[in-house]
């Protein structure tokens, strides 16, 4: 029998529910069971692809080209697996599918309703992923907080699944905030209230996890247990930590794994967390500081770049350096050109991905400075495209060269809409998405990084380097070190054999894992650590 663990949140959002769900997955996996994880997003968008990073943080891209919620990224990193776009269920998908069925006449004669039709569709989706993955344990995280109107059908589905699957095959974990007053007193009341809200919709939690500034003391634990109908051993605490990669270790120390496996009637085995532990140790021991400029335009919400930040964390742990990220808002460079001097202080820079004109000239100014100063630079997707624009302007002497995304009338369109995109009208799910093959040119920096002639990295773009300008770019010093199967530019480099100036059309950050860092980020960090 498949076991289902439902993760809900209360009190407020932003409590790290995704990393806790991922941590629970890691504990179960490390105890020798196969695990998959599902993120439910109750919003009406079909996927996260059409949302601004400011609205919902990073759009995470899966191998099969899904534009998903960033929690899918947390699951992949903790579980060290490749998930499918199917693992992210939204209300948009559920309603879309029901309305199509209704139009095809599949409900002929019936009145189509939230109960049973919407809830059945949700349960069917969860079971389908469970069947396809063959996992022993399926983690289902319901986004938002209990009490949100749009979350109700999903909570109802979770409630019904205990009825359908049985008590021993379902487990409900509820996560809430225990705030601390200025007097230092830790309060449990908000969590008590959110448990009441959960019970109101028919779910009795099997475990509580209290997030706070510190651990719960015995009194708080007993109080929460009493008000939640739980043994005190079912109440866990999870203080906000320096790194979320420590959460699995902390939950395991409190007996979470044993408690969970017993309740699910699974053989209790001690999870083997030794490699995870050594990664966390290395992460905490990082000491040699390196300053990295993060040049982008969504810098006010760091969640916009979470996979890049994590890829830097993975690589830095294995290279013993401690990155200090200096966020440079490219729109600010446009307003205040003197800001460029900030780049003088950094050891390296990342030109972040993005869309649209706003802030692009600021990024190009930053790129010019970094290239001319010989600063180690890594450009990702839009970042790489702007490296090409900068080289075209300042190395090849093409005045006003640009990407047609930013200036449709540029005299030198060095970055253009990909031919496959011509005529595409719809915005949802129509970019060039997912894992694509990159053919690497031997003897280049890219080849040294990957150590192979071809790799698969994940993509999310509409624009490409204009093939007509490749010869000119190469004549002016840019090296093309990776091509796609279609013959389009994937990787560019600049400088002598001892420099690190690299731009990728792909997003290597999406495949970086704590125990298996991205080769690109790893080499970047190694380069910075040696130069320090
Ligand atoms: N806007 C660019 C494109 O569509 C780059 C996208 C990105 O950085 N992900 O090609």
């Amino acid at each position: 029998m498949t076991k289902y663990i439902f993760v809900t949140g209360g009190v407020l959002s932003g409590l790290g529910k995704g990393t806790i769900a991922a941590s629970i997955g890691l504990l179960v996996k490390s105890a020798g069971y196969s695990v998959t994880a599902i993120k439910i997003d109750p919003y009406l968008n079909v996927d996260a692809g059409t949302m601004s990073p400011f609205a919902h943080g990073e759009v995470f891209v899966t191998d099969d080209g899904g534009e998903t919620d960033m929690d899918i990224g947390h699951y992949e990193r903790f579980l060290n697996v490749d998930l499918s776009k199917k693992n992210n269920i939204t209300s948009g998908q559920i309603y879309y599918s029901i309305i199509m069925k209704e139009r095809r006449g599949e409900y002929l004669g019936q009145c189509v309703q939230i109960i049973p039709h919407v809830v059945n569709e949700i349960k069917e989706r969860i079971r389908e992923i469970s069947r396809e993955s063959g996992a022993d344990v399926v983690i289902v995280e319901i986004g938002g907080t209990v009490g949100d109107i749009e979350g109700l059908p999903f909570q109802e589905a979770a409630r019904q699944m205990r009825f359908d699957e049985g008590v021993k095959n379902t487990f409900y974990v509820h996560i809430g905030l225990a705030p601390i007053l200025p007097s230092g007193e830790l309060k449990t009341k908000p969590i008590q209230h959110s448990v009441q809200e959960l019970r109101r919709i028919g779910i009795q939690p099997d475990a509580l996890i209290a997030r706070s500034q510190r651990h719960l003391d015995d009194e708080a634990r007993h109080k929460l247990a009493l008000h939640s109908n739980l043994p005190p051993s079912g109440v866990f605490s999870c203080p906000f930590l320096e790194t979320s990669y420590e959460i699995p270790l902390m939950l395991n120390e409190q007996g979470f794994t044993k408690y969970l496996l017993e309740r699910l009637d699974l053989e209790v085995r001690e999870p083997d967390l030794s490699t995870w532990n050594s990664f966390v140790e290395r992460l905490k021991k990082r000491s040699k500081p390196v300053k990295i400029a993060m040049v982008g335009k969504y810098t006010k919400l760091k969640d916009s770049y979470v996979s890049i930040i994590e890829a830097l964390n993975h690589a830095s742990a294995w290279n013993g350096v401690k990155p200090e990220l200096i966020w440079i808002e490219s729109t600010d460079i446009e307003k205040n050109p003197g800001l460029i001097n900030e780049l003088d202080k950094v050891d390296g820079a990342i030109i972040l991905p993005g869309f649209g004109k706003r802030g692009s000239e600021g990024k190009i100014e930053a790129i010019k400075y970094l290239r001319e100063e010989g600063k180690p630079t890594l450009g990702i997707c839009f970042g790489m495209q702007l490296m090409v624009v900068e080289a075209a302007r300042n190395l090849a002497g093409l005045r006003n060269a640009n990407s047609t995304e930013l200036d449709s009338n540029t005299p030198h369109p060095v970055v253009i809409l990909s031919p496959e995109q011509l005529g595409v009208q719809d915005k949802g799910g129509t970019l060039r998405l997912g894992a694509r093959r990159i053919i690497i040119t031997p003897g280049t920096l890219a080849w040294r990084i990957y150590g192979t002639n071809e790799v698969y990295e994940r993509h999310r773009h509409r624009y490409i380097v204009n093939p007509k300008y490749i010869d000119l770019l190469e004549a002016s010093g840019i090296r093309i070190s990776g091509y796609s199967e279609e013959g389009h530019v994937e990787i560019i480099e600049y400088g002598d054999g001892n420099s690190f100036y690299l731009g990728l059309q792909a997003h290597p950050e999406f495949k970086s894992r704590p125990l298996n860092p991205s080769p690109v980020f790893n080499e970047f960090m190694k380069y910075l650590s040696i130069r320090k």
Side-chain angles (χ1 to χ4, degrees):
M1 272 308 259
T2 312
K3 310 284 181 179
Y4 294 93
I5 301 173
F6 294 95
V7 181
T8 55
V11 185
L12 42 84
S13 60
L15 293 179
K17 217 164 15 98
T19 46
I20 294 183
S23 300
I24 295 172
L26 175 67
L27 293 175
V28 175
K29 184 178 176 184
S30 307
Y33 298 98
S34 60
V35 180
T36 193
I38 299 173
K39 172 69 193 294
I40 288 175
D41 282 302
Y43 49 67
L44 286 167
N45 302 60
V46 170
D47 59 41
T50 52
M51 267 187 278
S52 149
F54 283 133
H56 215 252
E58 164 187 284
V59 176
F60 186 79
V61 180
T62 54
D63 262 354
D64 63 355
E67 296 177 281
T68 69
D69 182 77
M70 62 176 183
D71 281 328
I72 298 290
H74 294 312
Y75 305 162
E76 285 204 348
R77 289 186 281 270
F78 280 71
L79 295 173
N80 203 6
V81 291
D82 296 325
L83 296 175
S84 155
K85 57 178 147 193
K86 285 190 175 170
N87 291 57
N88 190 188
I89 302 175
T90 67
S91 292
Q93 291 165 23
I94 299 290
Y95 284 101
Y96 193 85
S97 137
I98 286 181
I99 290 168
M100 298 311 269
K101 282 185 189 167
E102 190 277 332
R103 290 290 84 184
R104 286 197 300 269
E106 289 183 27
Y107 302 113
L108 219 51
Q110 296 176 45
C111 170
V112 185
Q113 293 179 299
I114 306 243
I115 297 176
H117 302 98
V118 169
V119 172
N120 283 350
E121 181 78 25
I122 296 167
K123 292 196 291 182
E124 186 40 46
R125 291 263 167 143
I126 295 172
R127 292 198 175 104
E128 186 186 322
I129 297 163
S130 150
R131 267 195 310 275
E132 283 176 6
S133 70
D136 302 321
V137 176
V138 181
I139 316 259
V140 184
E141 178 195 349
I142 304 180
T145 34
V146 283
D148 294 350
I149 291 177
E150 60 258 22
L152 284 173
F154 297 102
Q155 286 149 16
E156 172 62 11
R159 185 195 70 80
Q160 290 186 13
M161 281 190 72
R162 168 154 287 182
F163 188 78
D164 300 343
E165 308 286 326
V167 174
K168 292 221 174 296
N169 300 318
T170 46
F171 187 92
Y172 301 105
V173 192
H174 189 61
I175 300 161
L177 175 75
I180 293 180
L181 294 182
S183 64
E185 197 188 347
L186 180 144
K187 305 303 281 185
T188 61
K189 188 74 85 188
I191 298 183
Q192 294 177 36
H193 278 292
S194 78
V195 170
Q196 278 174 23
E197 189 63 33
L198 200 59
R199 279 205 302 254
R200 206 173 63 77
I201 49 178
I203 295 176
Q204 162 62 46
D206 297 296
L208 276 186
I209 299 178
R211 296 231 79 177
S212 193
Q213 300 311 116
R214 59 168 191 255
H215 274 292
L216 297 174
D217 58 21
D218 274 351
E219 193 195 333
R221 189 183 302 273
H222 278 87
K223 211 188 239 181
L224 278 172
L226 177 68
H227 287 276
S228 315
N229 292 327
L230 281 174
S233 59
V235 179
F236 301 86
S237 68
C238 186
F240 296 107
L241 301 161
E242 191 191 330
T243 155
S244 57
Y245 295 118
E246 238 184 305
I247 294 175
L249 304 171
M250 180 189 282
L251 287 175
N252 193 50
E253 271 165 27
Q254 294 174 60
F256 185 86
T257 320
K258 183 167 179 283
Y259 177 85
L260 172 80
L261 296 177
E262 269 170 4
R263 287 266 176 149
L264 285 173
D265 206 19
L266 288 169
E267 186 193 330
V268 175
R269 304 175 198 148
E270 185 55 27
D272 177 5
L273 294 164
S274 46
T275 35
W276 192 265
N277 199 14
S278 61
F279 165 71
V280 173
E281 288 294 307
R282 277 170 175 269
L283 197 65
K284 286 164 71 179
K285 267 208 275 262
R286 293 175 298 174
S287 56
K288 208 195 276 181
V290 286
K291 285 196 170 69
I292 300 176
M294 302 286 273
V295 187
K297 68 164 174 182
Y298 311 113
T299 56
K300 301 227 160 39
L301 182 69
K302 308 290 181 281
D303 271 354
S304 307
Y305 305 111
V306 51
S307 290
I308 294 176
I309 299 173
E310 292 312 329
L312 288 169
N313 280 330
H314 307 157
S316 65
W318 299 110
N319 287 289
V321 287
K322 189 168 178 130
E324 182 194 333
L325 305 184
I326 316 282
W327 294 91
I328 305 214
E329 175 64 39
S330 56
T331 47
D332 291 349
I333 301 177
E334 293 171 10
K335 282 180 246 153
N336 171 14
L339 199 64
I340 217 85
N341 296 323
E342 287 292 301
L343 293 173
D344 208 30
K345 301 178 205 148
V346 303
D347 301 302
I350 298 191
I351 313 297
L352 296 161
F355 291 82
K357 193 168 174 59
R358 192 176 65 84
S360 58
E361 286 301 321
K363 270 191 187 169
I364 294 169
E365 279 309 304
I367 293 167
K368 176 170 188 282
Y369 187 92
L370 292 162
R371 186 182 55 74
E372 287 178 350
E373 295 297 314
K375 294 270 184 191
T377 303
L378 173 61
I380 299 174
C381 200
F382 194 50
M384 171 276 216
Q385 294 172 357
L386 295 185
M387 282 164 122
V388 168
V389 171
E390 189 279 327
R393 288 184 191 175
N394 302 316
L395 285 173
L398 304 175
R399 271 189 68 212
N400 296 325
N402 216 332
S403 160
T404 55
E405 180 182 1
L406 313 169
D407 176 4
S408 52
N409 295 319
T410 169
H412 303 292
V414 289
V415 176
I416 53 169
L417 194 66
S418 160
E420 305 132 46
Q421 293 285 330
L422 293 168
V424 173
Q425 297 287 337
D426 288 355
K427 290 279 185 258
T430 56
L431 289 89
R432 180 170 179 262
L433 290 166
R436 306 288 176 124
R437 192 151 68 111
I438 304 172
I439 299 123
I440 314 267
T441 315
T444 59
L445 171 60
W447 196 77
R448 286 207 304 282
I449 288 173
Y450 285 111
T452 58
N453 292 343
E454 55 172 63
V455 291
Y456 283 80
E457 291 283 15
R458 298 182 188 172
H459 292 71
R460 180 172 186 248
H461 65 118
R462 290 186 205 281
Y463 290 81
I464 56 162
V465 175
N466 187 346
K468 290 197 188 117
Y469 286 89
I470 290 179
D471 289 347
L472 193 60
L473 285 165
E474 288 205 302
S476 62
I478 293 288
R479 197 171 314 110
I480 315 289
S481 52
Y483 284 95
S484 70
E485 279 174 1
E486 300 91 338
H488 295 150
V489 172
E490 284 279 356
I491 313 179
I492 62 141
E493 310 178 359
Y494 177 77
D496 59 30
N498 295 317
S499 50
F500 194 111
Y501 190 87
L502 188 83
L504 296 101
Q505 185 57 77
H507 292 260
E509 68 273 19
F510 292 137
K511 282 177 62 166
S512 188
R513 311 271 164 83
L515 306 184
N516 190 13
S518 154
V520 174
F521 285 86
N522 197 42
E523 200 60 32
F524 184 57
M525 278 299 169
K526 195 188 282 172
Y527 187 83
L528 295 183
S529 89
I530 292 168
R531 290 218 333 174
K532 258 316 235 198

